[in-house]
Amino acid sequence: MKKSEIAIVVPAYNEAKTVGKLIKKLVYAGYKNVIVVDDGSHDQTFEVAQNCGAVALQLPINRGAGGALRTGFSEAINLGAKIVVMMDADLQHRVSDIKKLVEPIVKKKLDIVLGSRLLGEKHKMPKTRQIANITGNLTTRLLLGINVTDSQSGFRAIRAKALKKMDLKSSRWEICSEMVGEIKRLNLKFTEIPIKVVYTTYSLSKGQNFKNGLKTLARLLAIKFK
Amino acid sequence: MIFKIFIITFAVLFIVRLLLGLSQKKIDATNFLIWILVWGSVIVFTIHPTLADQVAQSIGVARGTDAVFFVAFMIMFYFIFRLYSKITAVESDVTETVKYIALINRKLDRGVKRKKK
Ligand SMILES: Nc1nc2c(ncn2[C@@H]2O[C@H](COP(=O)(O)OP(=O)(O)O)[C@@H](O)[C@H]2O)c(=O)[nH]1
Ligand SMILES: [Mg+2]
């Protein structure tokens, strides 16, 4: 697999401080197809992404990680990517882990590889995030009938063919679980691999928290029973 | 008595609004019927409280006011549920539209760049 056949999709909401550095790191590592989806940010996220040479898309209003990701996925498919990698814009995910995510797709002919924060070094994740994750996993298991160690991970690699088949509808965080549910529905071949996630106070100030978790649960129920 | 007059005026105002809404086609027939029934029965039960007791007894609830409250709650829950589903649907429509705008803009952008070259 050539790196030019991989597209990196980065949803970004108010990440002007970090997104430029991430793009540079990615390009330096040989990933030239970086798609940044600015999720209606109030800062310079879009301009920074454009100036750093990424394919930059802009949602005119904030729609959440799900809306941003799905937009990025469509663009990646339009650009003819063979493998799509999704990762956060806040430098929490390490560029060096991309190789580990992509490899099983190429070598083991898998459809999707989920980066898991819970395989390997568990203690690195703050308590609040651990609780969010356990709850997320349990509900995904009960509602969607599939067992994974990290259903809420935002660092994943997907074969474009499998991505095209997925019927993703959600706008916000429930996209993470929705994808896992699609693995089960479409009988996709998948695996989980350990990834390292860096938790800084910057990254902890955003993202999934208890209140959001409840909302995510409500939306998951809506997906399940619609 | 003052309380009764207050409730009845309130209900009448709502019915007038419903009629206006229907004539201006702001609400559909089903909704119109449901709300007319709701506010109509509010007026009837305020004028004839004993009627509520009779209805209550026939469906096996002790007091008329209990039955009225019970039905009122059911109706409210029904509308909250409907509102919730509608909002969810609108939310997802907004996302689809926003996604479409972003992708189209990107396409146009690419077109412009190609022309410049
Ligand atoms: N918080 C938040 N993040 C968003 C949104 N839309 C896209 N994102 C991006 O989704 C990624 C993950 O978000 P983050 O807040 O770091 O969540 P966490 O890593 O799960 O704690 C980041 O790259 C965000 O910029 C949004 O509406 N809210
Ligand atoms: Mg993050």
Side-chain angles (χ1 to χ4, degrees):
Chain A
M1 177 69 50
K2 280 178 249 143
K3 279 182 180 170
S4 61
E5 291 174 330
I6 299 171
I8 316 284
V9 172
V10 184
Y13 180 53
N14 295 339
E15 309 276 19
K17 278 191 208 137
T18 52
V19 76
K21 195 168 170 194
L22 175 72
I23 297 168
K24 279 177 200 146
K25 278 187 173 184
L26 285 167
V27 173
Y28 184 74
Y31 303 102
K32 300 253 159 37
N33 308 315
V34 183
I35 301 168
V36 173
V37 186
D38 165 26
D39 189 11
S41 302
H42 303 295
D43 65 3
Q44 299 293 301
T45 299
F46 181 68
E47 288 76 10
V48 172
Q50 253 182 342
N51 293 338
C52 293
V55 170
L57 289 104
Q58 189 171 38
L59 305 190
I61 41 179
N62 177 253
R63 294 313 298 154
L69 274 171
R70 291 197 291 121
T71 308
F73 290 161
S74 294
E75 182 66 15
I77 289 168
N78 289 345
L79 293 176
K82 293 269 182 333
I83 291 177
V84 178
V85 174
M86 57 189 255
M87 72 190 293
D88 285 6
D90 54 5
L91 296 171
Q92 274 196 291
H93 297 146
R94 299 186 311 180
V95 172
S96 55
D97 279 336
I98 295 177
K99 217 175 126 202
K100 290 189 229 157
L101 283 170
V102 170
E103 229 167 43
I105 296 186
V106 183
K107 294 209 173 129
K108 293 188 189 156
K109 304 253 178 286
L110 299 183
D111 295 306
I112 177 164
V113 179
L114 311 172
S116 170
R117 297 165 285 186
L118 285 155
L119 289 173
E121 294 160 82
K122 275 182 200 163
H123 54 278
K124 284 284 169 61
M125 202 152 95
K127 270 276 175 323
T128 47
R129 288 294 201 272
Q130 279 185 32
I131 293 166
N133 218 289
I134 291 168
T135 329
N137 293 343
L138 202 68
T139 42
T140 343
R141 186 173 173 184
L142 290 176
L143 289 175
L144 307 170
I146 179 167
N147 207 4
V148 294
T149 63
D150 188 358
S151 61
Q152 306 306 304
S153 161
F155 201 8
R156 298 170 170 176
I158 313 131
R159 185 187 294 281
K161 269 188 197 153
L163 190 58
K164 274 187 220 165
K165 281 190 218 150
M166 285 190 184
D167 183 23
L168 302 172
K169 292 239 156 55
S170 48
S171 300
R172 303 188 188 270
W173 295 116
E174 64 278 15
I175 184 96
C176 299
S177 305
E178 200 183 22
M179 285 177 83
V180 175
E182 287 299 277
I183 295 178
K184 166 96 180 177
R185 188 178 71 87
L186 297 166
N187 235 324
L188 300 176
K189 279 181 264 164
F190 81 103
T191 190
E192 288 188 284
I193 60 145
I195 50 157
K196 273 215 184 99
V197 172
V198 193
Y199 281 96
T200 58
T201 35
Y202 170 73
S203 73
L204 276 176
S205 62
K206 315 173 290 93
Q208 301 202 39
N209 55 35
F210 188 67
K211 198 174 119 225
N212 283 337
L214 288 181
K215 285 191 193 158
T216 306
L217 178 58
R219 295 208 184 88
L220 265 181
L221 285 168
I223 291 175
K224 177 77 182 172
F225 296 111
K226 80 177 168 216
Chain B
M1 195 57 201
I2 291 176
F3 190 57
K4 273 192 176 182
I5 293 172
F6 178 72
I7 292 178
I8 292 171
T9 334
F10 201 67
V12 169
L13 279 176
F14 258 97
I15 290 179
V16 170
R17 267 204 52 180
L18 281 173
L19 288 168
L20 280 176
L22 188 71
S23 66
Q24 292 166 3
K25 291 195 172 145
K26 275 185 191 157
I27 63 170
D28 59 62
T30 343
N31 270 324
F32 175 78
L33 275 180
I34 293 170
W35 285 111
I36 283 287
L37 267 176
V38 170
W39 292 110
S41 45
V42 166
I43 295 177
V44 172
F45 287 134
T46 328
I47 297 172
H48 286 291
T50 47
L51 197 66
D53 285 329
Q54 282 161 25
V55 175
Q57 262 152 27
S58 70
I59 53 172
V61 190
R63 283 186 311 162
T65 40
D66 286 353
V68 169
F69 270 101
F70 180 72
V71 172
F73 264 111
M74 299 274 282
I75 292 171
M76 267 173 59
F77 271 118
Y78 170 73
F79 278 101
I80 290 172
F81 173 76
R82 268 215 358 198
L83 260 181
Y84 184 81
S85 334
K86 282 233 166 109
I87 291 173
T88 314
V90 170
E91 282 245 346
S92 104
D93 286 351
V94 171
T95 304
E96 290 315 307
T97 314
V98 163
K99 177 183 164 196
Y100 180 75
I101 292 172
L103 289 169
I104 280 278
N105 272 345
R106 157 88 186 136
K107 238 186 205 159
L108 292 176
D109 211 36
R110 255 190 310 195
V112 171
K113 268 183 202 142
R114 221 173 282 137
K115 262 182 207 157
K116 270 186 197 158
K117 272 177 194 167

